[in-house]
Amino acid sequence: MAAAPSSATTPLNPSELSVQMEDLLDAQQVSAKHFEVQTERETEMINAMKTALGQKSQAHCQLDRHQASQILRLMSNGSTAVESNPDSLDSRKLWFDCMMLLDRIQALAPVLLVATSLTTTCIALYSLLRKSNGYNCARCLDPVATLAILERDHLREGDATHLTEFVDEEQFRELLYKREIEIFHAVEGRVISTPSPATWLHMFVWRCNIISRGTLLEPLRLVHELSTADLTALVVKQHIDQKFTPRRIANTCFLVSMIKLGLLPLDILRPDHMCESEWKGLCARLESWTGAVNLKSGLSESHRCQLVQIVEASTCCCLRQLQDDAVVSVPQAHASSTM
């Protein structure tokens, strides 16, 4: 069983953190002020996507998320297997950033995601993001090698069509360069300014570790591992939009992982206003998404209350907001798990 928060750790919330603690959080770029900046960037991105889409659009139908995620997995980790997740922090973050950038392109320039352009676009945006942010991804494949593996697997499945518009290696590299420019212009040069769900999760975990003074180090390692797996499955199936925002799904996966580990009880997710039938429906969807869930916490009542305060302080959200985010996100997670 995961260790309980130390009794020496006083109850915490964002408004009561000491000046010294805020300075430490700020130095690690996980202060409340840093969260506000990241939230503004996220809101700006979502609004830009919403404006570009205008009325209900068919753009989302043009993106094969499963194929895109396979291409990005291959470039990140040398394998297209669904169970193969990038093995380094930089590789994982780059994979999530790429999937989110695909959503932005889907809204702003969907023509780049039609069937014959998808492979080139995925490889180009991966290359663009990697260069823009200086990611250290030791196992990242060369674009031509990536394409050769994808073409080989494509033909092995009996599909004789080419995955891209290219004819030879030189033309392909030229096309990649042009595609990078097209992507850069489509997103108005902002390829790395918006936090992905994985970025939010990393900030929650790092902030939680500092606020709890290291007393939750091992449980947080497990929370991060479980949350990352849930986020990966969600991002493959569900596009980011004004309802399904990066921070909202990170909030949900962070809290649900605490429940899955028995740190918090299941009913922590239930808002006060939720009726019994709605609660049963939410529980059923949660179980379908995550499997068996501990109904009760293994912690004492005082430690549970303390942990809730630490979670609130770590996410800069009150429990009510975390509950509301889960009500929205868990049904989405359930839907994606059955697709």
Side-chain angles (χ1 to χ4, degrees):
M1 181 65 208
S6 167
S7 58
T9 306
T10 56
L12 296 164
N13 64 56
S15 63
E16 295 178 351
L17 295 179
S18 67
V19 173
Q20 294 85 352
M21 180 68 78
E22 285 287 7
D23 286 345
L24 178 58
L25 293 168
D26 194 49
Q28 298 297 325
Q29 294 189 316
V30 289
S31 65
K33 180 173 65 177
H34 187 70
F35 272 38
E36 288 175 7
V37 171
Q38 296 300 318
T39 299
E40 288 174 4
R41 290 175 176 173
E42 179 179 287
T43 302
E44 183 182 0
M45 176 200 72
I46 295 296
N47 288 340
M49 291 170 61
K50 184 178 179 182
T51 300
L53 285 170
Q55 299 299 319
K56 187 172 177 62
S57 170
Q58 296 302 314
H60 291 299
C61 300
Q62 298 175 344
L63 175 58
D64 184 337
R65 299 186 72 82
H66 176 69
Q67 182 180 339
S69 68
Q70 282 192 316
I71 296 167
L72 296 172
R73 276 196 185 95
L74 178 60
M75 293 203 74
S76 299
N77 218 35
S79 173
T80 59
V82 172
E83 65 274 11
S84 174
N85 290 321
D87 57 358
S88 72
L89 180 60
D90 261 6
S91 292
R92 286 197 300 269
K93 186 177 184 302
L94 179 51
W95 183 87
F96 277 103
D97 285 351
C98 285
M99 291 298 292
M100 195 167 71
L101 183 55
L102 276 174
D103 286 326
R104 293 168 66 188
I105 295 170
Q106 187 176 20
L108 301 171
V111 68
L112 299 180
L113 299 175
V114 296
T116 55
S117 299
L118 180 59
T119 301
T120 308
T121 296
C122 286
I123 294 175
L125 70 85
Y126 189 98
S127 176
L128 181 62
L129 273 172
R130 189 182 180 203
K131 289 185 292 186
S132 299
N133 211 24
Y135 289 100
N136 179 24
C137 307
R139 296 179 65 179
C140 179
L141 294 181
D142 175 80
V144 174
T146 300
L147 185 63
I149 294 172
L150 290 169
E151 288 281 7
R152 180 199 65 199
D153 292 346
H154 211 51
L155 292 172
R156 182 182 296 161
E157 294 174 2
D159 189 343
T161 60
H162 283 292
L163 293 172
T164 73
E165 317 96 315
F166 95 110
V167 174
D168 56 33
E169 181 177 327
E170 183 179 351
Q171 184 186 11
F172 181 54
R173 291 193 184 278
E174 259 182 50
L175 183 60
L176 278 179
Y177 175 73
K178 291 179 181 177
R179 189 58 47 82
E180 286 184 26
I181 299 298
E182 290 173 329
I183 293 170
F184 192 77
H185 286 315
V187 298
E188 299 179 336
R190 294 184 230 178
V191 294
I192 58 171
S193 60
T194 306
S196 72
T199 303
W200 280 117
L201 178 62
H202 179 72
M203 290 193 293
F204 295 162
V205 171
W206 194 249
R207 184 176 167 89
C208 190
N209 185 52
I210 295 173
I211 290 173
S212 64
R213 300 177 176 89
T215 60
L216 296 173
L217 185 60
E218 181 57 22
L220 283 174
R221 184 188 67 78
L222 296 174
V223 165
H224 197 189
E225 184 179 307
L226 287 173
S227 299
T228 299
D230 287 340
L231 283 176
T232 300
L234 285 175
V235 168
V236 170
K237 298 291 186 181
Q238 174 65 49
H239 63 266
I240 298 298
D241 58 22
Q242 63 267 28
K243 182 179 179 182
F244 202 69
T245 66
R247 186 173 184 178
R248 171 169 279 167
I249 62 174
N251 276 345
T252 299
C253 289
F254 186 61
L255 188 58
V256 167
S257 293
M258 293 273 188
I259 296 169
K260 288 164 74 172
L261 288 171
L263 294 170
L264 292 173
L266 179 61
D267 61 11
I268 199 75
L269 287 176
R270 184 175 183 175
D272 292 337
H273 60 81
M274 180 173 279
C275 68
E276 188 65 24
S277 61
E278 290 176 326
W279 172 238
K280 287 181 179 179
L282 180 61
C283 289
R285 291 191 294 270
L286 182 65
E287 184 172 356
S288 176
W289 173 33
T290 65
V293 178
N294 291 313
L295 296 178
K296 298 180 179 180
S297 167
L299 302 183
S300 67
E301 179 65 25
S302 61
H303 279 144
R304 284 201 304 275
C305 293
Q306 194 175 3
L307 182 56
V308 168
Q309 291 174 320
I310 292 174
V311 168
E312 288 180 314
S314 301
T315 58
C316 289
C317 290
C318 65
L319 180 59
R320 172 64 183 274
Q321 181 61 56
L322 294 172
Q323 291 170 334
D324 289 345
D325 286 349
V327 168
V328 171
S329 300
V330 169
Q332 292 278 11
H334 169 68
S336 69
S337 69
T338 59
M339 287 178 65

